[in-house]
Amino acid sequence: MPDKIYMDLLEVIRKYHPSEDFSMIQKAYQLAKTAHERQLRKSGEPYIIHPLAVAHLLAELELDKESIMAGILHDVVEDTEYTIEYITNEFSKEVALLVDGVTKLEKIPYSTDKEEIQAENYRKMFLAMSKDIRVILIKLADRLHNMRTLRYKSEEKQKKIAKETLDIYAPLAHRLGISKFKIELEDLSFRYLNPEAYYDLVEKIARKRDDRINFVDKIVVDIKGEIDRIGIKAEVDGRPKHFFSIYKKMVGQNKTIDQIYDLFAVRAVVESVKDCYGVLGVIHEMYKPIPGRFKDYIAMPKPNMYQSLHTTVIGPEGEPFEMQIRTYEMHRTAEYGIAAHWKYKEGKTTQSMEQSEEQKLNWLRQILEWQRDMSDNKEFLDVLKSDLDVFADQVYAFTPSGDVIDLPAGSTPIDFAYHIHSAVGNKMVGARVNGKIVTFDYKIKNGDRIEIITSQNSHGPSRDWLNIIKSSQAKSKINQWFRKEFKEGNIVRGKELIEKYSKAKGIPLSDIIKPEFTQAVKRKYGFKDWEAVCAAIGHGGLKEGQIVNRLYEEYKKKIKVANKNSEVVEEVFDINTSTAKQSKSGIVVKGVEDLAVRFSKCCNPVPGDEIIGFITRGRGVSIHRTDCSNIINLSELERHRLIEAEWQSLDEKESSRLYQVEIQIISSNRVGLLYDVSKVLTEERIPVKSLNARSNKGDKSIFNVTMDINGVNQLNKLTKKLRNIEGVEEIIRTNS
């Protein structure tokens, strides 16, 4: 079976590739076949079928032989004993670079933070893309075949992979203009993420299918006849819109399937741009156009260089339908995107094609800029997902010189300024829209002509801008400005705070600030270097006690402190020690069995918090958060009564326990704020014990909410939703 798939692959390549020498592709196939010989996929098929299927998808994009070889070999280094050096020696440095670009980082054994590893893998992938864009084409083909065979995975993995595909890979395919991949990735993700909505939509569309096909067929015949009559050569056909695009429209416009008429689109493909506008005239003569529904993506291409004329008209039976008109070259670009004019076709690549490719890569350069600016991996991942949001609409505005700038819907002149250049945004003091001065929070509309007013006397961006801007690019640039502007001072202040705290607690600073200990802290909090940790402490993002105590814990593990916890417990309680045992509280106290455990009121720890035990006199062990002020401020003498403790997974009945926490929400005051806060708490099914609201002299609303939750994950999810409420500026966990 694999040999037949391989022969089919060669047939596809021969249709577009001028060479007859496929010996290196044959060599790659033989190596992959040997390397994966004993491996099976979840479906039970030989593993080699997957890399062959990936190579087949790349051949459908008409990519070069090096890409095909890398597609066949893409899992060899990750899953077998073969190395990148071996690939380099046996094939070429070029093929090895492509294989390495799609190979995930080695699993990090001392980190359980999967999001951290995921973010690092994306960083690696984008860096490899900057060296060779074919890396992402291989990765997209790999992901598409994995999505096609996702039914063999567990439901949990199906949803996780589908979510990642919809968040990252489908938008990537869209950004690079590869609709051939984007459409299928979106529909497959939709199918696994929301199967009920997917199959309901499939069923409803199937009921209308025959009527719609007859309707579209009649229109196609009528349009083709009129176009032939005026002497324009054209291919006219009708196609159904894909399910996810219909679902997006239903969600975005709050419509039912019966209210969406353009389930099918009619497309005319012609030979020249002049013919495109000629066909448009025919269509508008035959059918009445709907005002505001004409889009000229030929004169103003989309950011991914998609070009076409779109118009929505009233059909012969009074039903609207969408008409798309494009040239053959535009159609190829729409289907294959950046792969449409691949470089190996030397001599065929025009200057305009190269400019088209360069423009598609502008967005990639922006991603790479974010990589350099952000030391925090999770921040990078959040910004990336926000920028790739598949539900986000776009608005198009003009510079004074007539260039088109596309931005997320709801963008402001600040977003526009930072899109032009960070220097423009940093020096911005005002803006004119269509010749009139507007406020900074003005929402840009399609077709606005925007002029940014700058001044060398500007002191830089305001923190208030972060509350009104929409684009990830602007947020990144503003945060970058503040980090750079105050970084040196923050680093110095952070180091001073660490030194002062260590001295007060009698902890030898020179012993704990060593790479072997600081590495654990950097990994835990997602920082790339120690100075970034110091800067975070300097501007208040982290507590110095939290970091020093963590370093000291790592230090004590290393030197194996002689003070054994079991001895301390025996001394205070006069009880026998044995192996750790799970208590009903869900807390494991190291080395102690059947010991009374209670949760401290001063910091109210919940599952997911880093915790530590404090041996009380006669009342067992009290459990605190490691960043609790009472623990941080313990005297050196009392620190001997600390004992290691950790959360342990409980069975379903026991894990239903709730824990009390208190948070403070600080927001600008407005009508409806209390309703919005209450709505989020209700939607998340949070039992609220008390809610106190007040306003201060600065016109800020302050809410103190006491509630029951089941752990840190639920608390983080809740605070994330609360932060999305209009006007909310800060959320603080107050019981600490």
Side-chain angles (χ1 to χ4, degrees):
M1 184 178 175
D3 287 343
K4 183 182 184 308
I5 297 172
Y6 172 67
M7 296 308 294
D8 290 344
L9 169 65
L10 290 184
E11 284 304 310
V12 175
I13 299 170
R14 284 193 182 97
K15 289 177 183 176
Y16 70 87
H17 207 290
S19 172
E20 285 296 326
D21 180 11
F22 298 122
S23 58
M24 294 304 288
I25 294 178
Q26 174 69 27
K27 185 177 179 181
Y29 170 54
Q30 290 302 331
L31 173 61
K33 192 176 178 183
T34 302
H36 297 301
E37 191 172 15
R38 296 180 182 177
Q39 295 177 343
L40 296 175
R41 301 200 86 209
K42 292 281 185 184
S43 62
E45 295 176 326
Y47 193 91
I48 187 62
I49 289 176
H50 169 64
L52 284 176
V54 170
H56 199 285
L57 286 167
L58 296 171
E60 288 175 15
L61 292 180
E62 299 188 2
L63 290 192
D64 57 329
K65 288 192 288 186
E66 286 73 22
S67 301
I68 305 296
M69 284 186 273
I72 294 171
L73 298 168
H74 79 275
D75 275 336
V76 164
V77 173
E78 190 173 321
D79 296 340
T80 74
E81 72 276 8
Y82 292 97
T83 64
I84 286 294
E85 290 71 26
Y86 183 86
I87 301 295
T88 304
N89 293 333
E90 291 296 312
F91 296 92
S92 68
K93 191 174 181 180
E94 184 180 1
V95 172
L97 176 70
L98 295 175
V99 172
D100 186 45
V102 295
T103 300
K104 292 192 190 79
L105 296 169
E106 291 180 11
K107 292 292 182 286
I108 305 168
Y110 50 81
S111 170
T112 56
D113 194 334
K114 292 182 180 177
E115 191 175 10
E116 178 78 16
I117 298 170
Q118 183 192 37
E120 238 352 287
N121 276 316
Y122 286 137
R123 283 184 182 269
K124 181 183 183 227
M125 183 175 77
F126 283 112
L127 192 60
M129 279 170 64
S130 70
K131 296 174 184 173
D132 197 320
I133 194 66
R134 288 173 293 180
V135 166
I136 194 57
L137 301 180
I138 297 166
K139 195 69 182 173
L140 287 171
D142 174 46
R143 179 51 61 108
L144 179 52
H145 185 253
N146 282 333
M147 287 299 295
R148 287 176 176 177
T149 55
L150 199 57
R151 63 185 178 278
Y152 298 107
K153 298 271 188 185
S154 66
E155 185 177 345
E156 183 185 355
K157 283 194 174 181
Q158 285 175 354
K159 290 192 179 296
K160 177 181 174 293
I161 293 168
K163 181 76 168 64
E164 184 186 37
T165 301
L166 197 60
D167 283 347
I168 304 289
Y169 291 100
L172 267 175
H174 174 67
R175 289 283 183 147
L176 298 172
I178 312 171
S179 65
K180 187 179 177 66
F181 281 6
K182 173 231 178 194
I183 288 170
E184 193 174 351
L185 287 170
E186 284 184 342
D187 279 354
L188 288 169
S189 299
F190 176 32
R191 174 181 163 188
Y192 289 105
L193 284 173
N194 197 341
E196 189 176 332
Y198 175 82
Y199 287 110
D200 181 57
L201 189 60
V202 169
E203 183 184 346
K204 285 176 178 174
I205 289 175
R207 286 190 211 137
K208 294 170 168 266
R209 185 176 178 80
D210 289 342
D211 290 341
R212 300 304 296 170
I213 287 175
N214 292 334
F215 172 70
V216 171
D217 284 349
K218 182 179 185 308
I219 288 172
V220 167
V221 170
D222 291 347
I223 290 174
K224 178 68 171 142
E226 282 299 306
I227 293 174
D228 287 345
R229 187 180 62 77
I230 64 169
I232 294 178
K233 292 181 180 177
E235 290 181 13
V236 184
D237 61 13
R239 61 174 187 86
K241 291 208 166 178
H242 67 291
F243 296 122
F244 187 69
S245 71
I246 297 170
Y247 176 71
K248 269 202 302 184
K249 188 171 283 191
M250 289 169 65
V251 171
Q253 299 176 9
N254 196 24
K255 290 183 176 181
T256 65
I257 187 73
D258 295 322
Q259 294 171 305
I260 304 237
Y261 295 106
D262 51 346
L263 299 177
F264 286 75
V266 179
R267 179 190 294 148
V269 184
V270 297
E271 293 180 344
S272 69
V273 171
K274 180 183 174 183
D275 288 344
C276 289
Y277 291 100
V279 170
L280 178 67
V282 170
I283 301 302
H284 284 179
E285 190 178 344
M286 292 176 69
Y287 309 108
K288 188 174 183 178
I290 297 176
R293 294 300 302 271
F294 169 64
K295 292 175 183 136
D296 189 341
Y297 293 122
I298 293 179
M300 292 186 297
K302 287 187 178 183
N304 61 8
M305 299 316 295
Y306 171 89
Q307 288 184 288
S308 190
L309 296 178
H310 288 200
T311 184
T312 304
V313 296
I314 303 295
E317 296 172 15
E319 284 195 17
F321 71 92
E322 185 182 67
M323 183 76 198
Q324 299 174 358
I325 310 161
R326 60 180 71 149
T327 67
Y328 288 99
E329 187 59 43
M330 292 171 192
H331 182 61
R332 179 173 170 75
T333 300
E335 291 291 304
Y336 298 103
I338 201 162
H341 312 299
W342 198 247
K343 299 283 189 187
Y344 87 90
K345 302 173 184 176
E346 293 296 341
K348 297 183 183 179
T349 308
T350 67
Q351 186 178 353
S352 64
M353 289 175 181
E354 289 180 2
Q355 287 174 350
S356 166
E357 288 176 16
E358 289 302 309
Q359 284 177 283
K360 285 196 186 81
L361 294 178
N362 281 341
W363 173 77
L364 173 57
R365 294 190 186 96
Q366 177 184 306
I367 295 287
L368 295 171
E369 235 177 274
W370 292 344
Q371 291 207 133
R372 287 192 298 271
D373 296 339
M374 293 180 189
S375 58
D376 188 332
N377 278 331
K378 290 183 181 177
E379 183 189 0
F380 167 70
L381 191 56
D382 288 343
V383 170
L384 179 65
K385 286 182 178 178
S386 172
D387 194 63
L388 289 170
D389 184 4
V390 293
F391 283 96
D393 290 326
Q394 299 289 111
V395 292
Y396 300 90
F398 294 92
T399 66
S401 59
D403 293 329
V404 181
I405 303 294
D406 72 293
L407 294 162
S411 289
T412 67
I414 303 170
D415 295 283
F416 186 91
Y418 278 100
H419 190 95
I420 300 298
H421 197 279
S422 55
V424 176
N426 292 338
K427 294 295 180 184
M428 176 181 177
V429 293
R432 290 190 188 92
V433 175
N434 304 324
K436 295 180 181 178
I437 295 286
V438 295
T439 57
F440 281 7
D441 61 354
Y442 170 83
K443 296 289 187 292
I444 295 173
K445 301 179 182 64
N446 276 324
D448 278 348
R449 182 175 175 274
I450 299 173
E451 179 186 353
I452 303 299
I453 305 167
T454 61
S455 169
Q456 291 305 311
N457 296 323
S458 167
H459 297 299
S462 161
R463 287 196 183 273
D464 292 336
W465 290 5
L466 292 168
N467 298 322
I468 60 174
I469 56 177
K470 185 72 176 176
S471 66
S472 304
Q473 184 176 7
K475 285 177 185 173
S476 169
K477 295 290 185 185
I478 293 171
N479 282 323
Q480 176 192 344
W481 187 88
F482 281 112
R483 277 196 294 269
K484 283 184 178 177
E485 192 73 8
F486 304 111
K487 184 177 181 182
E488 294 303 321
N490 285 333
I491 291 172
V492 171
R493 176 172 163 73
K495 287 180 177 177
E496 287 174 353
L497 288 169
I498 290 171
E499 188 175 348
K500 185 178 177 182
Y501 182 89
S502 301
K503 192 173 182 180
K505 298 300 175 185
I507 298 172
L509 187 61
S510 58
D511 288 344
I512 64 173
I513 300 190
K514 292 180 178 176
E516 55 194 309
F517 307 134
T518 59
Q519 184 64 32
V521 172
K522 288 187 290 183
R523 176 62 59 184
K524 166 71 179 171
Y525 295 102
F527 289 98
K528 299 293 280 184
D529 54 54
W530 180 245
E531 285 197 340
V533 178
C534 295
I537 294 170
H539 69 63
L542 287 174
K543 295 179 182 177
E544 62 273 19
Q546 194 177 352
I547 298 302
V548 173
N549 287 335
R550 181 63 187 244
L551 289 169
Y552 191 47
E553 289 301 319
E554 294 296 324
Y555 168 74
K556 286 194 293 184
K557 286 180 193 175
K558 179 74 176 176
I559 64 170
K560 297 181 180 176
V561 177
N563 177 35
K564 294 181 182 177
N565 291 325
S566 57
E567 292 174 358
V568 178
V569 177
E570 284 179 355
E571 179 185 332
V572 178
F573 293 100
D574 191 25
I575 58 175
N576 293 323
T577 63
S578 65
T579 56
K581 182 177 179 181
Q582 177 178 303
S583 72
K584 292 179 181 178
S585 63
I587 300 291
V588 173
V589 178
K590 187 174 180 181
V592 182
E593 180 177 319
D594 295 331
L595 186 64
V597 169
R598 65 186 182 84
F599 297 95
S600 65
K601 297 284 187 185
C602 56
C603 60
N604 284 350
V606 301
D609 285 330
E610 284 191 12
I611 54 172
I612 195 164
F614 180 76
I615 302 162
T616 63
R617 299 189 185 277
R619 289 186 298 163
V621 173
S622 65
I623 301 299
H624 297 254
R625 301 205 320 250
T626 54
D627 61 348
C628 174
S629 57
N630 287 336
I631 294 297
I632 289 172
N633 295 313
L634 280 176
S635 67
E636 194 60 35
L637 184 64
E638 288 181 311
R639 295 191 75 81
H640 288 295
R641 295 168 65 187
L642 293 176
I643 184 168
E644 288 184 33
E646 63 183 16
W647 299 99
Q648 182 160 323
S649 299
L650 303 176
D651 61 36
E652 189 174 341
K653 183 179 177 183
E654 292 170 318
S655 65
S656 62
R657 173 171 178 165
L658 297 176
Y659 302 79
Q660 189 167 293
V661 297
E662 183 180 329
I663 62 170
Q664 186 176 81
I665 305 167
I666 302 170
S667 171
S668 53
N669 202 355
R670 65 174 176 82
V671 175
L673 181 61
L674 178 59
Y675 170 81
D676 289 343
V677 171
S678 302
K679 183 182 178 185
V680 170
L681 292 167
T682 303
E683 287 174 349
E684 292 300 304
R685 299 180 181 275
I686 302 293
V688 176
K689 297 298 183 185
S690 68
L691 192 155
N692 297 312
R694 60 188 172 87
S695 60
N696 63 15
K697 292 180 181 179
D699 200 32
K700 299 290 182 187
S701 290
I702 299 172
F703 294 79
N704 286 87
V705 186
T706 304
M707 58 196 171
D708 289 337
I709 61 165
N710 59 29
V712 165
N713 288 340
Q714 187 179 24
L715 181 61
N716 290 341
K717 183 181 176 185
L718 174 66
T719 54
K720 187 175 181 181
K721 284 201 170 185
L722 289 170
R723 281 195 181 96
N724 288 332
I725 294 174
E726 181 185 347
V728 169
E729 296 174 0
E730 192 173 5
I731 298 175
I732 303 167
R733 188 168 166 188
T734 53
N735 39 12
S736 60

